[in-house]
Amino acid sequence: MTETKEKKTSEIKKEADEISCPVKRAVYFVDEFLKGPMCGKCFPCEMGSYEALVRLRGIEGGSGAEDDLGALRRIAGEMLKTSRCKKGKDTANFIIEWIDTDVFAGHIQGVCADKECMALVEYVVIPDKCTNCALCHEACKDNAITGEKAATFLSEYVPFEISQERCTKCGECIKVCPEEAIELIDVMDAEGVEV
Ligand code: SF4
Ligand code: SF4
Ligand code: SF4
């Protein structure tokens, strides 16, 4: 049986740094830390990491609150003071570094500026740009897009539309639209889009 090599925190940090959104980055880092380098020898590092991950996932998932930011600062501060090794201290420092961006506060307000936290965004068709080519409809495996394909015998069309109930946010439609008529918008702004 081949042994899987455990990742170092520096490797996890390098991978996490490729993620644009600091909230998603922090979720990735702490999750990977818990799966690998976190050895469980000291309580504040172990429990702090678990609690941090729960709170970070809440923020990523759109249910974060101001309390979570305070709790994350407290957790990271305790980890920094009491962790026995560099791995725990590094994790605490990364959490502190990422929380101190405005991005966390933005997520609490319902906005992921990088449009990477899927709970906070929706795929929508911009009606004025849609030419009814139906390519998005063909690309969508979840049957989330409805509309009538352009045809010579039709003179008026209703633009294609995405059902938010069915959309799994896979992103395939946006890749095939030749008119850039599909956009990712903040859920909180979705009511302002005319369909
Ligand atoms: S601080 Fe270091 S020794 Fe303590 S639980 Fe975390 S990884 Fe293990
Ligand atoms: S691919 Fe774009 S232009 Fe074509 S129907 Fe879909 S949204 Fe409209
Ligand atoms: S994001 Fe995926 S599931 Fe949603 S409408 Fe586009 S192709 Fe369909």
Side-chain angles (χ1 to χ4, degrees):
M1 202 171 77
T2 48
E3 221 176 273
T4 317
K5 193 173 154 276
E6 186 182 281
K7 278 188 214 169
K8 292 181 180 163
T9 47
S10 57
E11 290 171 305
I12 300 173
K13 173 75 163 49
K14 209 170 157 192
E15 289 167 1
D17 280 342
E18 287 174 18
I19 301 169
S20 304
C21 170
V23 173
K24 267 194 110 58
R25 202 184 301 154
V27 168
Y28 179 84
F29 182 90
V30 178
D31 192 26
E32 289 294 308
F33 178 61
L34 279 165
K35 285 182 196 157
M38 203 290 297
C39 70
K41 284 187 190 149
C42 31
F43 187 75
C45 174
E46 183 179 26
M47 288 316 293
S49 300
Y50 278 115
E51 189 188 342
L53 185 59
V54 169
R55 289 185 184 269
L56 288 166
R57 283 201 170 130
I59 296 171
E60 180 192 29
S63 61
E66 282 293 333
D67 286 359
D68 292 311
L69 299 185
L72 284 165
R73 284 199 184 90
R74 170 185 53 76
I75 292 165
E78 281 169 17
M79 281 174 72
L80 195 57
K81 268 193 276 170
T82 57
S83 288
R84 281 195 220 159
C85 80
K86 187 176 179 305
K87 293 183 287 182
K89 289 186 192 300
D90 280 351
T91 301
N93 275 324
F94 295 149
I95 293 173
I96 291 165
E97 175 193 325
W98 291 325
I99 295 175
D100 280 339
T101 63
D102 292 342
V103 177
F104 274 72
H107 280 64
I108 303 295
Q109 303 300 319
V111 177
C112 173
D114 294 289
K115 303 277 188 283
E116 285 185 346
C117 292
M118 288 298 128
L120 303 181
V121 295
E122 283 184 358
Y123 285 82
V124 295
V125 174
I126 305 302
D128 290 349
K129 291 186 178 177
C130 177
T131 56
N132 292 66
C133 69
L135 289 176
C136 57
H137 172 75
E138 288 156 25
C140 180
K141 304 279 185 291
D142 296 290
N143 292 323
I145 306 182
T146 51
E148 206 167 5
K149 188 175 179 178
T152 46
F153 55 85
L154 288 173
S155 55
E156 283 190 27
Y157 306 104
V158 177
F160 275 59
E161 203 176 324
I162 295 176
S163 158
Q164 299 307 322
E165 284 72 38
R166 297 190 72 101
C167 178
T168 55
K169 303 182 183 180
C170 69
E172 290 305 311
C173 55
I174 218 166
K175 292 183 202 160
V176 299
C177 178
E179 308 297 333
E180 298 184 352
I182 299 176
E183 293 183 7
L184 265 176
I185 65 165
D186 298 326
V187 170
M188 61 190 295
D189 291 338
E191 284 174 13
V193 175
E194 288 175 27
V195 290

